[in-house]
Amino acid sequence: MLPPQSVPSERAPGVPEPEELWEAEMERLRCSGAPVRGLPYAMMDKRLIWQLREPAGVQTLRWQRWQRRRQTVERRLREAAQRLARGLGLWEAALYEIGALQCPGSRQSQPGVLRFHNQLWHVLTGRAFTNTYLFYGAYQVGPESSLVYSIRLAYLLSPLACLLLCFCGTLRRMVKGLPQKTLLGQGYQAPLSAKVFSSWDFCIRVQEAAIIKKHELSNEFKVELEEGRRFQLMQQQTRAQRACHLLSYLRVNILIGLLVVGAISAIFWATKYSQDNKEESLFLLLQYLPPGVIALVNFLGPLLFTFLVQLENYPPNTEVNLTLMWCVVLKLASLGMFSFSLGQTILCIGRDKTSCESYGYNACDYQCWENSVGEELYKLSIFNFLLTVAFAFLVTLPRRLLVDRLSGRFWAWLEREEFLVPKNVLDIVAGQTVTWMGLFYCPLLPLLNSVFLFLTFYIKKYTLLKNSRASSRPFRASSSTFFFQLVLLLGLLLAAVPLGYVVSSIHSSWDCGLFTNYSAPWQVVPELVALGLPPIGQRALHYLGSHAFSFPLLIMLSLVLTVCISQTQANARAIHRLRKQLVWQVQEKWHLVEDLSRLLPEPGPRDSPGPKSPASQASRPRSFCPGFPCPGSPGPRAPPPVPSVVDAAGLRSTCPGLHGTPASARRFRFPSVAEL
C-alpha cells in the first residue's frame, strides 16, 4: 500500500491526485477503530497503520513491546491448554450430544484439539520448523560480491570443517588408546602380579567406590585368566578340532549375515514405502515408519545374535566379541541403507532417472529436497531419544518393581535388566553418526543432539544405579576403547562420503536455500576465488586442485608412510633387544648373588673377624631359597674353584657396595625373568 508514483498525464479539473487519495486513506485508517489484524492489507502496511495510531510523542520502549509479545504468547498457550483440556474431558462429547447442543457425528467441538494434535505432530516430524534456521531452506542471501565474508562459503565449509576436526580428534584418541600389546608383540603377557600389587587406588575413602573398584579389578582378572585358558586350549587342539571350530564359526557368521541382509532390506522397503505415501493424511504414522523399523532391527538383532552364538558354546570372551562385531555391522549398515534409500527416492540414485532429468532431482515430489532429508534425520534423532526415555521408564522401571516385589520362579528367572556397556556405547555412536549426516541439511541438529546427550546421561545413570544389574559377562574396558573409537571413525566416514558426493555432484534445489543458482554447492568456491583472489592466488589454487599436484602429493605421502613404518619396525626391534638385555642382566645378577652366597660366610655371635677355612665356607647354603631354586634364577652352575684363604680386603675392593653392610641387608632380591 505504498504511495503510487505520479505519472504526468491529462487530468480533469477537480479530480484529486493519487498522493492526496493515499493521504486521505491513511488518515481515515488512523482515525478508524477497526482492528489492524482484520484489515485487508499487507503486513508492511499494517505496521505503518499501527505506527500512525500511536499517540504523538510517545515512544514505544523495547520492554513494552516484549511485554505485549509475552502476553500474546501466554494467551495463545492458555487457549491451547483449554482446548486440550476440553478435548480430554470425560464424557464431554456424550454430554453435548445428550443436551442437543451438537449434532451426532459432527466434529464442530473438536477443531481446537485436532489443531493442537496437528501442531504437536508437526513438531515431532519437523514440519513446524521448515521455515526456521533449523533446516537448510530457511537460509537465503543475495548474489555474491567481493566482500570479505560470504554466507554461502561459511555454510558450505562449516560442516566440512566440523567433520575434519572430528576426524582428527577421533584419530588422535584412537592412536592414543592403541593397545600396548600391539607394540610389544603378540607374545607379550602382562604379569598378573603387577596388577595384584599396583592396581588399587589408595585415594579411595568411600565404601561404594571401593566396592566398584573391587568389581573392576575382579573383572580384569577374570578376563586375563579367561584369555590365558582359551590360549592354552587353542594350543592343545588337534587339527580335526580346529576344523570343526572353524566350520561352526563360519556357520554362525553366515546365519547372522543373512539376518543382517534381511534387516537392511526391511529398512530399505520401509523407507521407500514411507516416502511414496508421505502425503496421505490417513497414514501419518508412516512418517515414523523408517525410524521405527531401524529401532526394532537394532533391538531384536543383538538378541538373535546372542542366541545363535550361545548355541555353539563359545567361550564368554569370544561370545561377547562376536556379538559386538555384528551389532556394529548392523547399526552402520542400517544407517547406510537408510541414506541410500533416501538418495534413491529423492535423487534417483540407482534407478530410472526420468523424473530427475529436468532438475537433477525429483522436483515433482520434493521442491526443497534438502529440507526433506533434514526432516528424515531430525525424525530419526527425535525417535531415538524418545525410545530411550520410553524404554527407561516404561520397560526397565516396571520390570524392576515387579521383580523386587513379586516372588516366584518366573520373576527369579527374569531378574533385573542387565546393563550392557557395549550396547549403550553403540547407541551413542549411532546417534552421533546421525548428527554428522545432518550437518548440511539440518545445521542446528548438533545443538539438539547435545541436549539429548545431556539428558540421556542422567537417564542412563538412573537406569544403571536403580533399575539394572551388573553384567555377568566379562568386559575389558581398556582394550575396547580403541574398538569404539574405530567404530566412531567408521560412522564419521559413513556420514562424510554421501555429504561429499552431494556437495560436489548433486544439483541444489531451485526453490530454497543458498545454492539455488548453482549446479552444485561446491561451485561457489571457484566463484569466490575468482572474485576475491589475485591471478597468482587463483593459479596456485587451480594447481593445488589439479591432477598435476596429485602425483607429488602421492609421492610425499608414500615417503612419509615409509618413514613411519621404518620407525615403527626399528622401535619394535629396539624393544626386543632391550627385553633380551634386561633378561641377560637379571641372569648375570643372579649368578653374582650365587657367587657371593658361596664366598661370604654366615656371621654368628661367636665368629671372630678374619679369614675362614674352606670347610666353613662349604657348609654355607648356595641359595637364598633353601630346598628349591629361587623364582627366575638360572639353572645349576658349576662352582668355581674355592680359594683356601679369602682376602677380606680384596673382596671389599671387588664388591665395594658390600663394605660396612650387614649380612641381613645384603640379602637383596632381583626380579625374576618370568615377572619381567
Side-chain angles (χ1 to χ4, degrees):
M1 194 177 161
L2 296 176
Q5 297 180 358
S6 60
V7 181
S9 59
E10 298 283 341
R11 290 188 181 275
V15 177
E17 294 291 335
E19 291 83 355
E20 298 177 357
L21 292 175
W22 180 77
E23 292 177 357
E25 180 67 15
M26 287 291 100
E27 182 66 22
R28 185 185 68 82
L29 291 174
R30 187 183 67 82
C31 299
S32 175
V36 180
R37 182 181 300 179
L39 296 177
Y41 296 112
M43 184 60 67
M44 182 176 61
D45 298 330
K46 290 182 179 180
R47 291 195 186 99
L48 180 60
I49 296 171
W50 179 77
Q51 293 176 1
L52 291 175
R53 288 184 178 183
E54 288 287 336
V58 177
Q59 297 293 334
T60 304
L61 300 178
R62 291 185 178 180
W63 68 271
Q64 294 176 343
R65 297 179 182 177
W66 176 83
Q67 188 175 9
R68 284 196 295 267
R69 292 171 185 167
R70 182 180 59 83
Q71 293 175 355
T72 303
V73 172
E74 289 179 355
R75 178 175 53 81
R76 291 178 180 177
L77 291 176
R78 186 167 53 254
E79 292 175 356
Q82 292 175 357
R83 290 194 300 267
L84 180 62
R86 287 196 301 268
L88 299 178
L90 188 62
W91 307 321
E92 182 178 6
L95 292 176
Y96 271 110
E97 184 177 354
I98 293 172
L101 300 171
Q102 179 184 7
C103 297
S106 65
R107 300 182 179 179
Q108 296 181 0
S109 65
Q110 300 290 330
V113 178
L114 292 179
R115 191 180 301 113
F116 178 78
H117 289 171
N118 290 335
Q119 291 176 356
L120 179 62
W121 185 255
H122 289 165
V123 169
L124 294 178
T125 56
R127 293 187 177 182
F129 310 106
T130 302
N131 298 324
T132 64
Y133 290 116
L134 180 63
F135 293 108
Y136 165 87
Y139 295 86
Q140 302 287 340
V141 73
E144 289 294 339
S145 61
S146 59
L147 297 178
V148 177
Y149 184 78
S150 172
I151 297 180
R152 287 190 178 91
L153 187 63
Y155 189 94
L156 177 62
L157 296 183
S158 294
L160 300 180
C162 180
L163 292 177
L164 181 61
L165 291 177
C166 292
F167 174 79
C168 296
T170 305
L171 188 64
R172 179 177 176 271
R173 289 193 301 269
M174 187 174 65
V175 173
K176 187 177 181 180
L178 191 67
Q180 296 182 359
K181 193 173 182 179
T182 306
L183 300 176
L184 297 176
Q186 297 296 328
Y188 175 76
Q189 294 290 336
L192 288 177
S193 59
K195 293 186 177 181
V196 170
F197 294 106
S198 62
S199 297
W200 185 256
D201 187 2
F202 290 94
C203 296
I204 295 177
R205 295 292 183 269
V206 184
Q207 181 68 23
E208 291 78 6
I211 294 175
I212 294 174
K213 187 64 176 180
K214 285 192 289 188
H215 283 300
E216 179 185 352
L217 295 179
S218 176
N219 187 28
E220 291 185 3
F221 292 148
K222 289 179 182 179
V223 173
E224 289 285 350
L225 296 175
E226 179 62 30
E227 287 185 355
R229 189 179 69 86
R230 182 171 59 88
F231 181 75
Q232 291 180 357
L233 291 177
M234 291 179 61
Q235 295 295 328
Q236 296 173 0
Q237 286 181 350
T238 61
R239 291 185 177 180
Q241 291 176 344
R242 292 181 181 178
C244 293
H245 180 77
L246 180 60
L247 290 177
S248 66
Y249 192 79
L250 291 175
R251 180 173 63 250
V252 170
N253 282 274
I254 290 174
L255 291 176
I256 295 178
L258 293 177
L259 290 177
V260 171
V261 171
I264 61 177
S265 301
I267 293 172
F268 172 78
W269 290 111
T271 306
K272 183 176 177 59
Y273 186 75
S274 174
Q275 294 297 317
D276 293 340
N277 300 276
K278 65 185 181 65
E279 298 297 336
E280 298 185 14
S281 58
L282 297 179
F283 296 96
L284 291 177
L285 291 179
L286 293 179
Q287 298 288 330
Y288 269 89
L289 182 61
V293 174
I294 292 176
L296 182 64
V297 163
N298 290 324
F299 175 73
L300 295 178
L303 299 179
L304 295 176
F305 298 163
T306 305
F307 175 74
L308 291 175
V309 172
Q310 287 179 349
L311 290 178
E312 300 295 334
N313 294 325
Y314 286 134
N317 195 19
T318 304
E319 176 185 334
V320 172
N321 293 337
L322 187 60
T323 306
L324 183 60
M325 181 191 69
W326 279 109
C327 289
V328 171
V329 173
L330 179 62
K331 283 190 176 292
L332 295 182
S334 301
L335 295 177
M337 181 54 67
F338 177 70
S339 178
F340 175 76
S341 59
L342 287 179
Q344 188 184 51
T345 306
I346 298 175
L347 304 177
C348 304
I349 298 175
R351 69 166 191 172
D352 185 18
K353 297 186 177 182
T354 304
S355 58
C356 300
E357 288 181 354
S358 301
Y359 299 97
Y361 61 95
N362 191 357
C364 298
D365 299 330
Y366 303 94
Q367 285 75 23
C368 187
W369 66 267
E370 292 91 350
N371 275 18
S372 300
V373 176
E375 289 177 3
E376 294 297 327
L377 297 175
Y378 170 85
K379 288 187 291 186
L380 188 58
S381 181
I382 289 285
F383 188 82
N384 289 338
F385 176 71
L386 294 179
L387 188 65
T388 300
V389 176
F391 195 82
F393 295 102
L394 299 180
V395 177
T396 308
L397 178 60
R399 177 177 176 179
R400 190 260 297 177
L401 295 176
L402 292 174
V403 168
D404 291 348
R405 299 184 180 184
L406 299 178
S407 60
R409 293 184 178 180
F410 174 76
W411 303 110
W413 169 81
L414 184 62
E415 294 184 329
R416 294 188 178 188
E417 182 191 2
E418 186 179 16
F419 191 87
L420 300 176
V421 176
K423 176 183 176 301
N424 291 276
V425 174
L426 289 181
D427 291 340
I428 296 175
V429 171
Q432 184 61 45
T433 303
V434 173
T435 303
W436 282 332
M437 293 171 65
L439 283 176
F440 184 77
Y441 315 102
C442 189
L444 298 183
L445 189 60
L447 179 61
L448 190 65
N449 187 61
S450 301
V451 177
F452 289 163
L453 284 177
F454 179 80
L455 298 177
T456 301
F457 171 78
Y458 290 100
I459 294 174
K460 293 293 183 180
K461 178 184 177 182
Y462 172 78
T463 303
L464 173 63
L465 298 179
K466 301 296 183 180
N467 303 329
S468 302
R469 60 184 173 90
S471 177
S472 58
R473 287 171 287 185
F475 172 72
R476 184 192 292 271
S478 57
S479 60
S480 298
T481 303
F482 173 80
F483 175 75
F484 289 128
Q485 295 293 339
L486 179 61
V487 175
L488 193 63
L489 188 63
L490 294 177
L492 179 63
L493 295 179
L494 180 63
V497 171
L499 179 60
Y501 175 72
V502 167
V503 167
S504 61
S505 305
I506 301 300
H507 200 292
S508 303
S509 298
W510 291 92
D511 297 333
C512 66
L514 296 171
F515 308 99
T516 53
N517 298 323
Y518 296 89
S519 58
W522 188 255
Q523 294 299 322
V524 71
V525 177
E527 179 180 350
L528 290 175
V529 168
L531 289 175
L533 290 181
I536 299 178
Q538 297 180 21
R539 287 194 296 268
L541 288 180
H542 179 71
Y543 173 73
L544 293 177
S546 63
H547 295 286
F549 179 71
S550 60
F551 296 104
L553 181 62
L554 289 176
I555 294 174
M556 183 179 65
L557 291 178
S558 301
L559 292 176
V560 171
L561 185 61
T562 303
V563 170
C564 292
I565 293 176
S566 302
Q567 186 66 32
T568 303
Q569 294 177 353
N571 292 337
R573 290 192 297 268
I575 291 174
H576 183 67
R577 287 195 302 267
L578 290 175
R579 290 179 60 193
K580 291 181 63 176
Q581 183 179 358
L582 184 61
V583 172
W584 176 79
Q585 290 179 356
V586 171
Q587 291 178 350
E588 289 298 322
K589 291 178 180 179
W590 271 110
H591 292 313
L592 178 61
V593 169
E594 287 189 348
D595 294 340
L596 293 177
S597 65
R598 285 191 297 269
L599 294 176
L600 293 178
E602 187 72 25
R606 300 180 180 178
D607 293 343
S608 60
K612 302 297 180 181
S613 62
S616 62
Q617 296 173 2
S619 62
R620 192 184 187 282
R622 296 188 177 183
S623 175
F624 289 133
C625 305
F628 53 89
C630 293
S633 60
R637 186 177 180 184
V642 182
S644 57
V645 178
V646 180
D647 186 4
L651 182 59
R652 294 192 185 97
S653 62
T654 306
C655 305
L658 298 177
H659 179 68
T661 305
S664 59
R666 293 197 295 266
R667 292 188 178 182
F668 54 91
R669 179 180 180 273
F670 293 99
S672 63
V673 178
E675 291 176 342
L676 294 174

